[in-house]
Amino acid sequence: MRIGLALAVVITHGAITTGGQAADSHLWVTPLRPVLRAVLPMFFALSGFLVAGSLERCRTLISFLGLRVIRIYPALIIEVLLSAFIIGLSITTLPAKAYLTDPEFHRYLLNVTGDIHYLLPGVFADNPFPNTVNSQLWTVPYELGCYITISALALIGVVRRPWLAPLAALGICVLHLGYRVIEHHGQSLYMLGGIPGTLLIVSFLVGISLYLYREQMSWDGRLFGGSVILAALLLTYLPGGEYPAVFLLGYVTVWLGLTDYRRLAIIRSADLSYGVYLYGFVIQQLFAFLFPEFRYWWASVLVCIPCSLLFAAASWNLIEKPALKLRRPLMKLEAFLFPASGQRFWQKGVPLTDGAAKRDI
């Protein structure tokens, strides 16, 4: 599911990186519209489901947030530095000194903190989608918002009070819908492109809710099919339909994720999804810059997907997987700060099982 959704993001960006905003806008009014709008909510719902499992296995927020930092930041930092110092410095139209001293260059480095900027001076200025190095980083602040939200829920006992997660999802959804109704003065809420970023946090909370209620949920193929059809109709025709659709997409995502199928060896041995997600757009922009005669969406997809997978494999083996070794000192720090308790502080009475910290983060 993760690698499939990451590759879907790259495919989606094939139009905008080769044809510009006009081509991208046209794509959103084709029959592919509901599929394109579903990709990121599904990505965040899947993340919520998996991260909720990590929360349940961690003893305190020290280990939980520490594992999130280990998983997210090393690869993000390297991607930002490669974009700024290698790609940017190699192709910028400015002299090296002017490039390195430009305020835009310094602002771009703030991406490592989650303060997102898209422009590097003199880089991709003449591309079909100009002056943007990595558009995909726009989701990083919302991802950080997801972790803040789940941490707050953990502190008030979401594992013992699972109803807090769907309540939070519904509350944020209603508040954001009300805000948009007021902002549009009661007029149409129709959106040409994707869904609002706030609904990605809602999707994340839906994933958490489905994990917490996984034993009570009915994972039925008929419910799955009905959810797919209804979500597609809502995302295609109904202004504001994305609000109820994200709840349906959460069910669709987890139902697919829970199916038992034969997985390829490469999927079992490495998690390439994050690397594909991080590097895909940069690689597509570089392709459009280097080969203007091949600015076709299908050419971008055929070339950039293999390149993205190669970069993702390098990121996993050289950065992400080695960074996971930091789990051991993290657990030692947690044990030093909280030596008296062998229980998870948000789930009283549940012991910390051996090896819990060694599982998938």
Side-chain angles (χ1 to χ4, degrees), residues 9-189:
V9 171
V10 177
I11 294 171
T12 300
H13 288 152
I16 194 169
T17 54
T18 57
Q21 191 65 58
D24 184 63
S25 298
H26 173 72
L27 190 63
W28 289 98
V29 296
T30 67
L32 291 174
R33 173 178 168 81
V35 178
L36 299 175
R37 304 188 82 202
V39 171
L40 283 181
M42 292 178 68
F43 213 128
F44 273 70
L46 180 61
S47 178
F49 188 87
L50 297 173
V51 169
S54 177
L55 172 69
E56 196 173 59
R57 294 188 294 268
C58 291
R59 187 157 69 92
T60 72
L61 282 180
I62 291 176
S63 56
F64 174 70
L65 292 177
L67 293 176
R68 304 276 64 76
V69 169
I70 290 171
R71 189 67 186 93
I72 297 299
Y73 276 100
L76 174 63
I77 290 170
I78 295 301
E79 187 280 325
V80 171
L81 294 180
L82 284 176
S83 296
F85 286 98
I86 304 300
I87 296 176
L89 191 58
S90 299
I91 66 174
T92 181
T93 57
L94 299 180
K97 183 177 180 180
Y99 172 80
L100 293 172
T101 57
D102 194 291
E104 289 289 352
F105 173 81
H106 300 148
R107 280 192 286 270
Y108 192 84
L109 297 179
L110 293 175
N111 285 337
V112 301
T113 69
D115 182 10
I116 302 305
H117 301 268
Y118 304 105
L119 177 64
L120 280 172
V123 177
F124 300 143
D126 296 322
N127 273 27
F129 192 67
N131 301 319
T132 302
V133 177
N134 194 348
S135 175
Q136 194 50 49
L137 294 182
W138 78 270
T139 62
V140 170
Y142 293 102
E143 189 169 5
L144 297 179
C146 289
Y147 297 147
I148 293 172
T149 302
I150 192 175
S151 298
L153 290 174
L155 288 172
I156 59 178
V158 70
V159 177
R160 287 177 282 119
R161 305 179 184 90
W163 51 269
L164 287 170
L167 181 64
L170 183 61
I172 294 174
C173 199
V174 170
L175 288 173
H176 192 268
L177 177 59
Y179 166 77
R180 283 184 62 196
V181 169
I182 295 172
E183 184 183 38
H184 289 81
H185 306 289
Q187 302 301 312
S188 174
L189 297 177

